[in-house]
Amino acid sequence: MEFNIEAARITSLPDDAFYISDFITEDEEDRLLQKVKSAPLPRWTQLSHRRLQTWPSALTKSNVLLTSPLPAWLRSPIIEPRFEALRIFNGVPHKAPNHVLVNEYQPGQGIMPHEDGAAYHPLVATVSLGASIVLDLYHKHTKDDREASGTLAKGGRDVAGIPDTNRKPQYRILQERRSLLILRGKMYTDLLHGIKETMRDEDLGPHSICNWELLREREPYQCGWYERKMRTSLTYRDVLQVVKMGNTLKILGGE
């Protein structure tokens, strides 16, 4: 496969965002899903709204990654040769992604609007497997905004467990199965991203979906909604702080 990164730009978004609908083949998708499913149970972390795998390992409390190569099935064919051909990670500190989150979303599951934070270089590349889903993007609330809405206490402390349910996304991106979504720069640093907890994505069309013209298939969504199915995502990023085992032991030991 050959890709033109500029042809994949989502032009209705304010900064660098790219969408490639046919990033991997159906056979490659099947092999990746099989690898995800065959991972030993200890690899999974069960959260309240989804479960995930972390490769090659979780970050320490100080956002440090223990140096270790990604497994071959997460490198080929995604990093090698496709990311290499796109040259999207050429400008990151380690010249390639060194960390992958595998998230599994059952119908009805999602994730609240959040930011990935400063542990990573401001570039994220996500491959979707199994089914489509809508990613919502939000402008960050300022402290004054949150105090006015009642989601921030007077002392500046977030009121835990009180989501802003009336908040509407600024942008919406439909991620099809086998697609690649790249967000970088201000799209990474200045916006929150989340997935609505719903059994179906609604209000779909060129008026609401930023990448509508880049979709592989628009026919399944012409009715304006899509019934959720199980979707798995592979999220590739570059962790900035990487250390060897010996150095990690020193950090944990406070030496």
Side-chain angles (χ1 to χ4, degrees):
M1 292 184 180
E2 293 185 5
F3 306 113
N4 179 343
I5 189 65
E6 280 305 314
R9 182 181 291 275
I10 306 176
T11 56
S12 60
L13 291 175
D15 204 2
D16 282 355
F18 307 89
Y19 180 80
I20 298 174
S21 61
D22 274 310
F23 184 67
I24 59 173
T25 67
E26 291 188 4
D27 286 344
E28 290 166 344
E29 178 189 43
D30 289 341
R31 287 196 295 271
L32 286 165
L33 284 171
Q34 185 55 44
K35 286 291 188 180
V36 170
K37 293 175 183 177
S38 63
L41 191 58
R43 268 289 174 186
W44 288 102
T45 299
Q46 185 66 55
L47 304 178
S48 57
H49 300 281
R50 70 190 191 285
R51 65 174 187 163
L52 60 85
Q53 298 174 22
T54 307
W55 296 91
S57 63
L59 306 188
T60 69
K61 290 182 179 180
S62 54
N63 289 330
V64 173
L65 176 67
L66 175 63
T67 184
S68 181
L70 291 169
W73 64 273
L74 285 173
R75 297 197 309 271
S76 177
I78 293 175
I79 299 176
E80 308 151 1
R82 308 246 166 91
F83 283 177
E84 292 178 347
L86 288 169
R87 302 171 63 87
I88 55 174
F89 279 91
N90 283 22
V92 306
H94 299 102
K95 308 303 179 186
N98 56 17
H99 195 255
V100 179
L101 283 184
V102 180
N103 282 289
E104 181 186 88
Y105 295 94
Q106 299 284 351
Q109 294 182 332
I111 184 169
M112 290 185 65
H114 66 284
E115 60 182 330
D116 291 340
Y120 306 95
H121 182 81
L123 186 158
V124 58
T126 303
V127 179
S128 292
L129 308 173
S132 302
I133 210 163
V134 171
L135 181 74
D136 295 322
L137 301 174
Y138 304 79
H139 287 305
K140 293 181 181 179
H141 275 327
T142 65
K143 181 180 176 182
D144 290 341
D145 292 336
R146 286 178 287 163
E147 285 179 340
S149 66
T151 58
L152 194 72
K154 290 183 178 179
R157 176 175 48 82
D158 285 315
V159 180
I162 306 180
D164 186 353
T165 54
N166 295 320
R167 192 176 184 191
K168 293 183 178 180
Q170 187 73 20
Y171 310 105
R172 303 173 76 211
I173 298 172
L174 177 57
Q175 296 177 260
E176 300 167 282
R177 52 182 286 257
R178 301 194 290 109
S179 70
L180 171 69
L181 174 66
I182 303 164
L183 301 176
R184 68 186 185 191
K186 291 183 179 179
M187 292 300 301
Y188 181 98
T189 59
D190 293 3
L191 297 173
L192 305 179
H193 57 276
I195 294 171
K196 185 177 180 181
E197 293 184 347
T198 183
M199 296 301 293
R200 69 182 197 174
D201 288 307
E202 299 181 323
D203 191 30
L204 305 180
H207 63 286
S208 63
I209 299 300
C210 295
N211 60 322
W212 184 260
E213 296 304 320
L214 295 173
L215 295 178
R216 177 176 65 250
E217 297 179 285
R218 291 186 284 276
E219 181 64 29
Y221 315 106
Q222 295 286 4
C223 62
W225 58 272
Y226 169 76
E227 198 78 33
R228 288 262 186 98
K229 301 177 180 64
M230 191 177 82
R231 180 248 188 181
T232 301
S233 64
L234 310 179
T235 301
Y236 287 78
R237 290 173 293 199
D238 182 32
V239 179
L240 297 176
Q241 296 187 66
V242 179
V243 298
K244 296 181 179 179
M245 175 64 82
N247 292 333
T248 303
L249 293 175
K250 288 181 180 180
I251 292 171
L252 294 176
E255 295 182 12

